[in-house]
């Protein structure tokens, strides 16, 4: 698992790949704060394991 870079549309890519659970309401996506924090924590642990900055 790679940590995402700060690139446009990275959030949509993560949503469509199913890496961050979200709800679609109308035409927009809602990501619960807890799910986002969990993803960022996992990503940070992975980056630290590879000894690199995210």
């Amino acid at each position: 698992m790679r940590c995402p870079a700060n690139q446009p549309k990275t959030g949509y890519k993560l949503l469509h790949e199913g890496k961050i659970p979200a709800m679609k309401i109308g035409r927009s996506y809602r990501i619960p704060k807890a799910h986002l924090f969990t993803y960022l924590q996992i990503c940070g642990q992975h980056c630290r394991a590879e000894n690199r900055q995210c």
Side-chain angles (χ1 to χ4, degrees):
M1 174 175 149
R2 282 192 75 219
C3 296
N6 292 330
Q7 297 177 4
K9 305 211 179 192
T10 301
Y12 287 112
K13 181 180 175 186
L14 294 170
L15 288 172
H16 291 293
E17 291 176 353
K19 293 184 178 179
I20 296 180
M23 298 171 284
K24 188 169 183 180
I25 300 175
R27 296 185 329 174
S28 62
Y29 289 93
R30 303 289 186 211
I31 303 170
K33 192 182 294 187
H35 292 171
L36 182 61
F37 287 144
T38 300
Y39 175 79
L40 293 173
Q41 183 180 18
I42 291 169
C43 182
Q45 290 171 353
H46 180 74
C47 289
R48 284 191 297 278
E50 292 182 354
N51 293 323
R52 62 185 180 104
Q53 283 274 332
C54 290

